[in-house]
Amino acid sequence: MKLEPGEIVLEHASRAFSVRADQGRTLKGLLIGRRRGGVEPPPVQALRDVSMRVGAGETVGIVGRNGAGKSSTLGVLAGIVPLDSGRSGCGGRVVTLLELGAGFGRDFSGRENIYLNGALHGFTQSEIEQRIDRIIDFSELGHFIDVPVRTYSSGMFVRLGFSIAAYLDADVLLIDEVLAVGDEGFQRKCLRRISERIAAGATIVLVSHDPGAIERVCDRVVVLEAGAVVYDGSTAEGLLFYHRLIGTLDASPQDARRPDTTAPLHVSGLELRDSGDRRSQIFHSGQSARIVLSLQAQPGFSQATAAVALELRDEHGSTVFRTRGEPELRDGRADVAYEIERLALLGGDYDLAVAVADQQQFARVTSFSVAHEPGAEGIADLRGSWKELAASDRAPTLPTP
């Protein structure tokens, strides 16, 4: 099967696992096994005729209940789990982050394991040396980078494992649930790095139980149930389908502050959308964005318009931008969008706060991230170009004091 770099294919993939317990190592096990007549439970069907094609540069989230076949799917794509029937393949260079500490030599230091993992993924020593400083800086392990990894906590394993996977610059990046172990700050940092790999054209397949992570990263969702694909489509509809499947109605990411529905006027809906009008929580500098609001008034609210304020804050809580509008209420409701033609922000994490009427505090707060761009630092995106000036255009020389 010849595939383009970044292309992924699963065709009628099936895989079953035996659940036979090995009881022959003890006298009790031998006696019980004989008394039961050697009856074994049937194999568990992890994948049932799964077909999926992912184009180069696509970002796909795989969701499902525990035991639905998510990790088995990634294991098959990574070439770790063989199929009973069907075909699978990934084009180009593949880097995986499937299990905490997988592929690490526990008596080796973090630095030595960077070289080991790079070699296991087919990178030469010189290629690893070009990346090792960035990997170590991203991991934030400090002097622990030269300590044997058997002394690492689960969070340190995640930091090192993800840092290696993120900076090997593969065509395909396969990531399992391990990101859930890291702290919130590092998770957000990982999601930003994933968005940068997406911008560079990498294909991402992410397994997670966190709908916020899936929504921020993926533009397509595959839902697995009992080893079979039951949905394959857009992220928003896929998450809604999954949450209905497991019996929860609210599939949307949770805001930091929920609306006070008892107020005379409140924000009943808040959503960020990208240039393709898709709900998103990760953006790129210079792209267009929309803030979509729904305002709801209580019966008897007499005003014809609703004063609404938007405030954008950086990760330290400082105000970056604030604006105010007065949308018209129709039948006690207003559905409006604030259009941003060019998002002039540089990489980082931001909060969007919304207040209505004359409320002293902001009623809704939601978060989003902007991917880091090379060659620019700070908050405001003022990138321009350098050019040589003619003699007539030079700045006047300041007088000598």
Side-chain angles (χ1 to χ4, degrees), residues 176-203:
D176 206 345
E177 192 68 57
V178 292
L179 287 183
V181 180
D183 60 72
E184 182 180 354
F186 191 72
Q187 286 179 29
R188 296 184 75 164
K189 185 176 176 180
C190 291
L191 291 173
R192 288 200 303 271
R193 179 57 188 167
I194 290 172
S195 72
E196 292 165 9
R197 295 298 307 132
I198 293 169
T203 302

mmCIF file of all heavy atoms in Angstrom, residues 176-203:
data_model
loop_
_atom_site.group_PDB
_atom_site.id
_atom_site.type_symbol
_atom_site.label_atom_id
_atom_site.label_comp_id
_atom_site.label_asym_id
_atom_site.label_seq_id
_atom_site.Cartn_x
_atom_site.Cartn_y
_atom_site.Cartn_z
ATOM 1 N N ASP A 176 -2.246 9.367 22.369
ATOM 2 C CA ASP A 176 -3.301 8.745 23.175
ATOM 3 C C ASP A 176 -3.589 9.611 24.394
ATOM 4 O O ASP A 176 -3.083 10.720 24.530
ATOM 5 C CB ASP A 176 -2.878 7.333 23.595
ATOM 6 C CG ASP A 176 -4.071 6.420 23.860
ATOM 7 O OD1 ASP A 176 -5.187 6.941 24.004
ATOM 8 O OD2 ASP A 176 -3.883 5.189 23.914
ATOM 9 N N GLU A 177 -4.352 9.082 25.324
ATOM 10 C CA GLU A 177 -4.901 9.813 26.465
ATOM 11 C C GLU A 177 -3.848 10.325 27.445
ATOM 12 O O GLU A 177 -4.185 11.006 28.407
ATOM 13 C CB GLU A 177 -5.859 8.882 27.214
ATOM 14 C CG GLU A 177 -6.746 9.522 28.249
ATOM 15 C CD GLU A 177 -7.783 10.448 27.661
ATOM 16 O OE1 GLU A 177 -8.553 9.983 26.821
ATOM 17 O OE2 GLU A 177 -7.807 11.631 28.034
ATOM 18 N N VAL A 178 -2.563 10.071 27.195
ATOM 19 C CA VAL A 178 -1.534 10.382 28.186
ATOM 20 C C VAL A 178 -1.490 11.859 28.562
ATOM 21 O O VAL A 178 -1.038 12.218 29.644
ATOM 22 C CB VAL A 178 -0.139 9.929 27.699
ATOM 23 C CG1 VAL A 178 -0.054 8.432 27.643
ATOM 24 C CG2 VAL A 178 0.188 10.541 26.345
ATOM 25 N N LEU A 179 -1.961 12.770 27.704
ATOM 26 C CA LEU A 179 -1.925 14.192 28.030
ATOM 27 C C LEU A 179 -2.770 14.518 29.258
ATOM 28 O O LEU A 179 -2.567 15.546 29.895
ATOM 29 C CB LEU A 179 -2.409 15.029 26.846
ATOM 30 C CG LEU A 179 -1.455 15.139 25.661
ATOM 31 C CD1 LEU A 179 -2.048 16.049 24.613
ATOM 32 C CD2 LEU A 179 -0.098 15.639 26.092
ATOM 33 N N ALA A 180 -3.721 13.673 29.578
ATOM 34 C CA ALA A 180 -4.579 13.940 30.735
ATOM 35 C C ALA A 180 -3.804 13.902 32.047
ATOM 36 O O ALA A 180 -4.268 14.421 33.064
ATOM 37 C CB ALA A 180 -5.710 12.915 30.790
ATOM 38 N N VAL A 181 -2.595 13.315 32.042
ATOM 39 C CA VAL A 181 -1.813 13.209 33.271
ATOM 40 C C VAL A 181 -1.140 14.532 33.607
ATOM 41 O O VAL A 181 -0.930 14.858 34.769
ATOM 42 C CB VAL A 181 -0.764 12.085 33.138
ATOM 43 C CG1 VAL A 181 0.066 11.949 34.409
ATOM 44 C CG2 VAL A 181 -1.451 10.767 32.813
ATOM 45 N N GLY A 182 -0.798 15.336 32.613
ATOM 46 C CA GLY A 182 -0.071 16.578 32.843
ATOM 47 C C GLY A 182 -0.924 17.619 33.538
ATOM 48 O O GLY A 182 -2.149 17.552 33.563
ATOM 49 N N ASP A 183 -0.260 18.633 34.137
ATOM 50 C CA ASP A 183 -0.998 19.715 34.770
ATOM 51 C C ASP A 183 -1.621 20.608 33.708
ATOM 52 O O ASP A 183 -1.279 20.537 32.522
ATOM 53 C CB ASP A 183 -0.084 20.529 35.695
ATOM 54 C CG ASP A 183 1.091 21.147 34.953
ATOM 55 O OD1 ASP A 183 0.874 22.109 34.191
ATOM 56 O OD2 ASP A 183 2.218 20.659 35.126
ATOM 57 N N GLU A 184 -2.552 21.475 34.142
ATOM 58 C CA GLU A 184 -3.326 22.273 33.193
ATOM 59 C C GLU A 184 -2.444 23.175 32.341
ATOM 60 O O GLU A 184 -2.647 23.304 31.138
ATOM 61 C CB GLU A 184 -4.361 23.114 33.939
ATOM 62 C CG GLU A 184 -5.252 23.939 33.014
ATOM 63 C CD GLU A 184 -6.272 24.768 33.770
ATOM 64 O OE1 GLU A 184 -6.368 24.609 35.006
ATOM 65 O OE2 GLU A 184 -6.968 25.559 33.123
ATOM 66 N N GLY A 185 -1.434 23.800 32.969
ATOM 67 C CA GLY A 185 -0.551 24.690 32.223
ATOM 68 C C GLY A 185 0.189 23.953 31.121
ATOM 69 O O GLY A 185 0.311 24.449 29.998
ATOM 70 N N PHE A 186 0.684 22.757 31.428
ATOM 71 C CA PHE A 186 1.419 22.003 30.414
ATOM 72 C C PHE A 186 0.479 21.474 29.338
ATOM 73 O O PHE A 186 0.853 21.396 28.168
ATOM 74 C CB PHE A 186 2.190 20.852 31.063
ATOM 75 C CG PHE A 186 3.176 20.196 30.131
ATOM 76 C CD1 PHE A 186 4.348 20.839 29.765
ATOM 77 C CD2 PHE A 186 2.919 18.945 29.598
ATOM 78 C CE1 PHE A 186 5.251 20.246 28.898
ATOM 79 C CE2 PHE A 186 3.811 18.341 28.734
ATOM 80 C CZ PHE A 186 4.986 18.993 28.388
ATOM 81 N N GLN A 187 -0.754 21.115 29.712
ATOM 82 C CA GLN A 187 -1.716 20.670 28.707
ATOM 83 C C GLN A 187 -1.971 21.771 27.673
ATOM 84 O O GLN A 187 -2.005 21.510 26.470
ATOM 85 C CB GLN A 187 -3.028 20.283 29.378
ATOM 86 C CG GLN A 187 -2.973 18.960 30.132
ATOM 87 C CD GLN A 187 -4.289 18.640 30.800
ATOM 88 O OE1 GLN A 187 -5.353 19.035 30.340
ATOM 89 N NE2 GLN A 187 -4.233 17.918 31.909
ATOM 90 N N ARG A 188 -2.145 22.988 28.145
ATOM 91 C CA ARG A 188 -2.391 24.104 27.223
ATOM 92 C C ARG A 188 -1.161 24.336 26.337
ATOM 93 O O ARG A 188 -1.287 24.624 25.146
ATOM 94 C CB ARG A 188 -2.742 25.368 28.001
ATOM 95 C CG ARG A 188 -4.029 25.252 28.777
ATOM 96 C CD ARG A 188 -4.424 26.531 29.459
ATOM 97 N NE ARG A 188 -4.953 27.511 28.509
ATOM 98 C CZ ARG A 188 -5.637 28.580 28.869
ATOM 99 N NH1 ARG A 188 -5.887 28.808 30.152
ATOM 100 N NH2 ARG A 188 -6.075 29.431 27.970
ATOM 101 N N LYS A 189 0.005 24.189 26.930
ATOM 102 C CA LYS A 189 1.244 24.330 26.162
ATOM 103 C C LYS A 189 1.333 23.244 25.086
ATOM 104 O O LYS A 189 1.723 23.516 23.941
ATOM 105 C CB LYS A 189 2.429 24.228 27.130
ATOM 106 C CG LYS A 189 3.790 24.468 26.514
ATOM 107 C CD LYS A 189 4.838 24.423 27.620
ATOM 108 C CE LYS A 189 6.244 24.551 27.053
ATOM 109 N NZ LYS A 189 7.254 24.497 28.127
ATOM 110 N N CYS A 190 0.944 22.017 25.443
ATOM 111 C CA CYS A 190 0.945 20.915 24.474
ATOM 112 C C CYS A 190 -0.030 21.188 23.335
ATOM 113 O O CYS A 190 0.286 20.945 22.163
ATOM 114 C CB CYS A 190 0.586 19.604 25.162
ATOM 115 S SG CYS A 190 1.843 18.982 26.291
ATOM 116 N N LEU A 191 -1.220 21.692 23.665
ATOM 117 C CA LEU A 191 -2.214 21.969 22.629
ATOM 118 C C LEU A 191 -1.728 23.056 21.679
ATOM 119 O O LEU A 191 -1.986 23.001 20.475
ATOM 120 C CB LEU A 191 -3.537 22.359 23.273
ATOM 121 C CG LEU A 191 -4.273 21.231 24.014
ATOM 122 C CD1 LEU A 191 -5.477 21.772 24.757
ATOM 123 C CD2 LEU A 191 -4.696 20.140 23.038
ATOM 124 N N ARG A 192 -1.015 24.051 22.222
ATOM 125 C CA ARG A 192 -0.450 25.083 21.339
ATOM 126 C C ARG A 192 0.587 24.477 20.405
ATOM 127 O O ARG A 192 0.652 24.823 19.222
ATOM 128 C CB ARG A 192 0.173 26.206 22.168
ATOM 129 C CG ARG A 192 -0.819 27.102 22.874
ATOM 130 C CD ARG A 192 -0.183 28.434 23.248
ATOM 131 N NE ARG A 192 0.998 28.263 24.071
ATOM 132 C CZ ARG A 192 0.987 28.192 25.399
ATOM 133 N NH1 ARG A 192 -0.166 28.250 26.046
ATOM 134 N NH2 ARG A 192 2.101 28.054 26.083
ATOM 135 N N ARG A 193 1.428 23.592 20.944
ATOM 136 C CA ARG A 193 2.452 22.962 20.106
ATOM 137 C C ARG A 193 1.799 22.088 19.029
ATOM 138 O O ARG A 193 2.259 22.067 17.886
ATOM 139 C CB ARG A 193 3.395 22.118 20.974
ATOM 140 C CG ARG A 193 4.482 21.390 20.189
ATOM 141 C CD ARG A 193 5.338 22.334 19.363
ATOM 142 N NE ARG A 193 6.246 21.603 18.481
ATOM 143 C CZ ARG A 193 6.928 22.148 17.478
ATOM 144 N NH1 ARG A 193 6.792 23.445 17.234
ATOM 145 N NH2 ARG A 193 7.711 21.434 16.725
ATOM 146 N N ILE A 194 0.729 21.387 19.395
ATOM 147 C CA ILE A 194 0.021 20.590 18.402
ATOM 148 C C ILE A 194 -0.515 21.485 17.292
ATOM 149 O O ILE A 194 -0.448 21.148 16.108
ATOM 150 C CB ILE A 194 -1.123 19.791 19.065
ATOM 151 C CG1 ILE A 194 -0.550 18.686 19.959
ATOM 152 C CG2 ILE A 194 -2.040 19.174 18.014
ATOM 153 C CD1 ILE A 194 -1.590 17.972 20.786
ATOM 154 N N SER A 195 -1.050 22.652 17.665
ATOM 155 C CA SER A 195 -1.582 23.573 16.650
ATOM 156 C C SER A 195 -0.476 24.054 15.720
ATOM 157 O O SER A 195 -0.694 24.278 14.526
ATOM 158 C CB SER A 195 -2.274 24.760 17.318
ATOM 159 O OG SER A 195 -1.347 25.637 17.909
ATOM 160 N N GLU A 196 0.740 24.221 16.258
ATOM 161 C CA GLU A 196 1.870 24.615 15.412
ATOM 162 C C GLU A 196 2.243 23.506 14.439
ATOM 163 O O GLU A 196 2.575 23.768 13.281
ATOM 164 C CB GLU A 196 3.060 24.986 16.296
ATOM 165 C CG GLU A 196 2.837 26.260 17.104
ATOM 166 C CD GLU A 196 3.845 26.422 18.232
ATOM 167 O OE1 GLU A 196 4.824 25.639 18.273
ATOM 168 O OE2 GLU A 196 3.653 27.324 19.066
ATOM 169 N N ARG A 197 2.177 22.249 14.895
ATOM 170 C CA ARG A 197 2.452 21.124 14.001
ATOM 171 C C ARG A 197 1.366 21.010 12.928
ATOM 172 O O ARG A 197 1.641 20.667 11.787
ATOM 173 C CB ARG A 197 2.523 19.812 14.800
ATOM 174 C CG ARG A 197 3.673 19.736 15.779
ATOM 175 C CD ARG A 197 5.038 19.820 15.105
ATOM 176 N NE ARG A 197 5.137 18.834 14.042
ATOM 177 C CZ ARG A 197 5.586 19.109 12.820
ATOM 178 N NH1 ARG A 197 5.944 20.353 12.496
ATOM 179 N NH2 ARG A 197 5.667 18.170 11.915
ATOM 180 N N ILE A 198 0.121 21.332 13.310
ATOM 181 C CA ILE A 198 -0.957 21.337 12.320
ATOM 182 C C ILE A 198 -0.684 22.390 11.259
ATOM 183 O O ILE A 198 -0.835 22.143 10.051
ATOM 184 C CB ILE A 198 -2.315 21.603 13.008
ATOM 185 C CG1 ILE A 198 -2.685 20.432 13.922
ATOM 186 C CG2 ILE A 198 -3.416 21.825 11.978
ATOM 187 C CD1 ILE A 198 -3.867 20.722 14.830
ATOM 188 N N ALA A 199 -0.268 23.604 11.702
ATOM 189 C CA ALA A 199 0.034 24.687 10.756
ATOM 190 C C ALA A 199 1.171 24.300 9.822
ATOM 191 O O ALA A 199 1.225 24.764 8.677
ATOM 192 C CB ALA A 199 0.371 25.959 11.525
ATOM 193 N N ALA A 200 2.066 23.437 10.303
ATOM 194 C CA ALA A 200 3.193 22.993 9.466
ATOM 195 C C ALA A 200 2.804 21.856 8.529
ATOM 196 O O ALA A 200 3.635 21.397 7.748
ATOM 197 C CB ALA A 200 4.352 22.555 10.363
ATOM 198 N N GLY A 201 1.549 21.384 8.622
ATOM 199 C CA GLY A 201 1.068 20.364 7.688
ATOM 200 C C GLY A 201 1.068 18.948 8.209
ATOM 201 O O GLY A 201 0.808 18.010 7.440
ATOM 202 N N ALA A 202 1.340 18.749 9.505
ATOM 203 C CA ALA A 202 1.345 17.392 10.053
ATOM 204 C C ALA A 202 -0.076 16.851 10.175
ATOM 205 O O ALA A 202 -1.027 17.603 10.368
ATOM 206 C CB ALA A 202 2.029 17.371 11.415
ATOM 207 N N THR A 203 -0.206 15.538 10.073
ATOM 208 C CA THR A 203 -1.475 14.855 10.301
ATOM 209 C C THR A 203 -1.528 14.440 11.768
ATOM 210 O O THR A 203 -0.582 13.829 12.272
ATOM 211 C CB THR A 203 -1.593 13.614 9.410
ATOM 212 O OG1 THR A 203 -1.465 14.012 8.045
ATOM 213 C CG2 THR A 203 -2.930 12.925 9.610
#
